[in-house]
Amino acid sequence: MVIFNSVKEIQEAVAAYKTSSKTIGFVPTMGALHEGHLSLIKRCKSENDICIVSIFVNPTQFNNKQDLATYPRDLGKDAKLLESVDCDIIFAPTEQEIYNDNELAGTFSFSFNGLDEVMEGKFRPGHFNGVVQIVSKLFSIVTPSKAYFGEKDFQQVAIIKHMVKELKYPVEIIPCPILREGSGLALSSRNTLLTSEEKKKAITISKVLNECRNFVARMSPEELTQWVVNEINKVDILQVEYFEIVDGNSLQKITNWSDSEYVVGCITVYCGKIRLIDNIRLKG
Ligand code: AMP
């Protein structure tokens, strides 16, 4: 496994692999890796000759400076984990390697066809512009034929698929299932910021999402939304930011179960000060 910090180095390595007809798979991450990330990397490894993982805490997708400052970082530990799953290349650039000063200071904008106006997009203004800005740059540098994204960030997958279509990247987007702890809690880099007490209480999120599937036949989407919010907010340190029942492709809210054949419930909850996201497939 090699670690590259510069764009030039990785481009040269990729060019050499392509000359010998090797296929390139890519997993973009912000580091602080856990088994959830590793599940994407293992899949990438099994479907491509070469697996490239980027580790870059992208400043332009953080709308909250405190969140960016406290985001967990440990390249040494990440490199060990990546070695253990036979990753071929880590790309870990600096901010300056990726962005010029204008890009760091300014705002990038992309047309999302409404996909960014709901849920994460509504509560984190500019977040998805930053995501598209970094993922498009990384795709141009790494030129993978397949790229792997976790369904934990459900809206992100929809947005990246839209980006690939609009910008005509020859990249196949592979969505991968959410990996969870035995307790049900979705694995997340942010879980390391939870105290043990908070972590215990955060289990309620996945528990309630799971339970709510039993009520799909008995409640309207609106009633179910209210039930989920009430159940989670009963736990003193949990505060739901949003729970939305949406069509899994358009991400628009549904009002009747018959509105869509593919329905997903997406949630964001503050556990103390830590913002956790999760989702569950409710139909299709
Ligand atoms: P991040 O480092 O948080 O930007 O995540 C990098 C990639 O790993 C994204 O595509 C995430 O959706 C994915 N990911 C994060 N947590 C999980 C998880 N628990 N299960 C599956 N994929 C995940």
Side-chain angles (χ1 to χ4, degrees):
M1 186 179 77
V2 276
I3 304 183
F4 293 129
N5 305 114
S6 82
V7 170
K8 189 166 175 285
E9 281 173 320
I10 190 161
Q11 282 177 328
E12 283 170 3
V14 167
Y17 283 125
K18 290 209 166 169
T19 312
S20 47
S21 301
K22 302 273 192 223
T23 56
I24 309 276
F26 180 45
V27 185
T29 81
M30 298 205 297
L33 302 180
H34 49 66
E35 286 294 328
H37 296 110
L38 297 188
S39 69
L40 272 55
I41 292 153
K42 286 176 194 162
R43 172 117 185 243
C44 174
K45 223 13 232 182
S46 73
E47 296 179 353
N48 301 275
D49 297 322
I50 301 297
C51 168
I52 300 181
V53 175
S54 63
I55 297 183
F56 181 65
V57 182
N58 175 38
T60 69
Q61 74 187 65
F62 283 79
N63 57 319
N64 177 331
K65 283 206 172 85
Q66 180 64 11
D67 191 20
L68 174 62
T70 56
Y71 199 84
R73 297 161 211 241
D74 191 342
L75 184 59
K77 190 170 162 217
D78 289 343
K80 278 196 192 119
L81 281 173
L82 289 173
E83 185 105 62
S84 76
V85 288
D86 281 338
C87 165
D88 298 287
I89 297 177
I90 301 177
F91 179 46
T94 59
E95 286 182 9
Q96 285 67 29
E97 189 66 19
I98 295 293
Y99 294 123
N100 62 39
D101 290 348
N102 287 342
E103 287 172 322
L104 279 173
T107 48
F108 171 91
S109 80
F110 183 74
S111 161
F112 292 96
N113 213 6
L115 289 173
D116 66 324
E117 283 161 21
V118 295
M119 304 191 290
E120 289 299 281
K122 194 157 94 193
F123 287 94
R124 299 183 72 187
H127 169 66
F128 287 120
N129 280 303
V131 169
V132 166
Q133 185 181 28
I134 186 60
V135 175
S136 60
K137 274 201 190 234
L138 291 171
F139 279 6
S140 301
I141 295 166
V142 175
T143 63
S145 47
K146 290 184 178 157
Y148 298 78
F149 290 85
E151 284 181 332
K152 183 169 88 74
D153 298 281
F154 190 79
Q155 192 170 5
Q156 174 169 276
V157 175
I159 284 190
I160 297 296
K161 280 187 180 166
H162 174 70
M163 178 198 90
V164 161
K165 204 166 144 215
E166 290 295 305
L167 300 181
K168 319 229 179 289
Y169 278 109
V171 183
E172 187 184 348
I173 301 303
I174 317 277
C176 303
I178 303 176
L179 216 81
R180 298 177 181 280
E181 290 190 354
S183 68
L185 179 65
L187 290 174
S188 163
S189 304
R190 288 190 169 88
N191 291 356
T192 58
L193 303 172
L194 298 170
T195 63
S196 57
E197 189 59 24
E198 285 172 337
K199 204 166 167 192
K200 253 189 237 151
K201 293 192 172 175
I203 293 167
T204 301
I205 303 166
S206 56
K207 200 168 143 261
V208 170
L209 289 184
N210 247 322
E211 264 176 47
C212 93
R213 302 179 76 188
N214 302 326
F215 300 124
V216 168
R218 275 182 272 163
M219 290 184 188
S220 69
E222 198 183 330
E223 285 164 343
L224 193 63
T225 302
Q226 211 44 60
W227 183 83
V228 167
V229 173
N230 287 345
E231 287 301 303
I232 294 179
N233 284 346
K234 273 182 195 165
V235 179
D236 56 358
I237 58 162
L238 298 184
Q239 184 66 47
V240 176
E241 186 169 57
Y242 66 79
F243 174 64
E244 290 199 7
I245 298 180
V246 300
D247 171 85
N249 295 310
S250 70
L251 305 183
Q252 301 307 306
K253 252 191 207 177
I254 59 154
T255 44
N256 296 298
W257 295 111
S258 58
D259 288 348
S260 166
E261 287 311 306
Y262 176 29
V263 180
V264 181
C266 298
I267 195 160
T268 289
V269 180
Y270 274 95
C271 178
K273 287 198 166 61
I274 309 304
R275 193 172 183 276
L276 301 174
I277 70 172
D278 202 345
N279 62 78
I280 190 140
R281 194 181 276 235
L282 297 172
K283 185 177 169 188

